[in-house]
Amino acid sequence: MKKFIVIDGLDGCGKDTQVNLLAEVYKNQGRDVTIRSHPCSDNKFGRKSKQALLKTGKINHLKATIYFGLDAVRSVHMFYYNKDTDVLIFSRYTMAVAYLPNVINVIVYKIVSIILPKSDCMFFLDVTPEESLRRIKSRNEEEEMFENIDALREARSKTGKVTYEWNVIPADDPAEIVSSKIVAKCLESEN
């Protein structure tokens, strides 16, 4: 794998939009781009994580987290260590720990950040919970267990404890402004 990029953040922060904009930049350079948007629908871990996210309760919370982690590890195994992978972009990666209970989330993040690969192109899109919820509601999709104002506020407050190695980008801004910051950092890191 030659280039590893991660775009993460709260639901509704624009992760998939930014992943697609960034992928176009690399494709226009003639690069081969692989995108993994977790939870992925191409494997049982991703599908089970998504199923659990659409339900409520502590058991489903635990299932969603475990299956999400297995899905991300599967993607790392299949693509990060593949020498034929040119540009690998993950949408959603380790920030899912923000949805875990306090104290546990920081411990799990520290463990995960030791085990899983990192990059100087890891972006956390910092959106206000109010903007996040507005965007979620505009999608007209079935809402997941964490897609409510209280859960978004709590998750955002927790992310501050674990984004110290990330490039934090204000994501209430228009998509083009956010994209320009991400592209600039990614291209700078190639020099």
Side-chain angles (χ1 to χ4, degrees):
M1 199 271 323
K2 297 175 182 89
K3 182 78 176 172
F4 180 48
I5 303 164
V6 176
I7 298 179
D8 214 328
L10 296 181
D11 293 329
C13 69
K15 294 178 291 291
D16 291 327
T17 297
Q18 294 305 322
V19 164
N20 291 324
L21 290 170
L22 184 59
E24 276 306 306
V25 169
Y26 281 106
K27 288 176 184 176
N28 289 338
Q29 293 178 350
R31 309 273 303 263
D32 183 35
V33 179
T34 301
I35 295 172
R36 300 298 294 167
S37 183
H38 302 101
C40 301
S41 60
D42 65 355
N43 70 87
K44 67 180 177 184
F45 301 127
R47 288 189 299 271
K48 287 182 181 241
S49 178
K50 183 66 174 176
Q51 288 169 355
L53 284 168
L54 293 172
K55 298 175 183 173
T56 58
K58 290 182 180 181
I59 296 294
N60 285 307
H61 184 166
L62 183 61
K63 283 181 181 179
T65 303
I66 291 170
Y67 285 125
F68 181 94
L70 292 169
D71 184 30
V73 168
R74 178 184 179 275
S75 290
V76 167
H77 178 71
M78 290 182 68
F79 300 99
Y80 182 85
Y81 295 108
N82 184 334
K83 292 181 186 197
D84 295 329
T85 302
D86 185 11
V87 178
L88 176 60
I89 306 175
F90 275 16
S91 174
R92 295 173 202 85
Y93 189 41
T94 56
M95 280 299 134
V97 302
Y99 294 99
L100 293 172
N102 275 327
V103 181
I104 293 171
N105 62 340
V106 174
I107 294 167
V108 171
Y109 180 78
K110 288 182 180 189
I111 293 167
V112 166
S113 67
I114 290 169
I115 296 169
L116 293 177
K118 290 184 260 189
S119 165
D120 57 349
C121 289
M122 291 175 42
F123 300 95
F124 178 77
L125 304 183
D126 186 26
V127 66
T128 60
E130 294 75 17
E131 178 62 15
S132 172
L133 191 59
R134 185 192 68 74
R135 292 176 185 176
I136 290 166
K137 298 267 187 213
S138 72
R139 295 189 296 215
N140 293 322
E141 296 175 352
E142 191 174 357
E143 289 182 18
E144 296 176 359
M145 70 171 69
F146 302 114
E147 294 180 337
N148 62 72
I149 196 67
D150 292 332
L152 292 167
R153 284 179 179 148
E154 182 180 357
R156 186 179 188 220
S157 72
K158 291 177 182 179
T159 60
K161 299 173 189 171
V162 294
T163 54
Y164 48 85
E165 297 176 307
W166 294 70
N167 298 289
V168 178
I169 309 275
D172 282 0
D173 293 334
E176 302 78 29
I177 292 172
V178 174
S179 176
S180 67
K181 293 174 182 177
I182 292 171
V183 169
K185 176 65 179 173
C186 288
L187 296 179
E188 169 192 307
S189 74
E190 297 204 6
N191 298 328

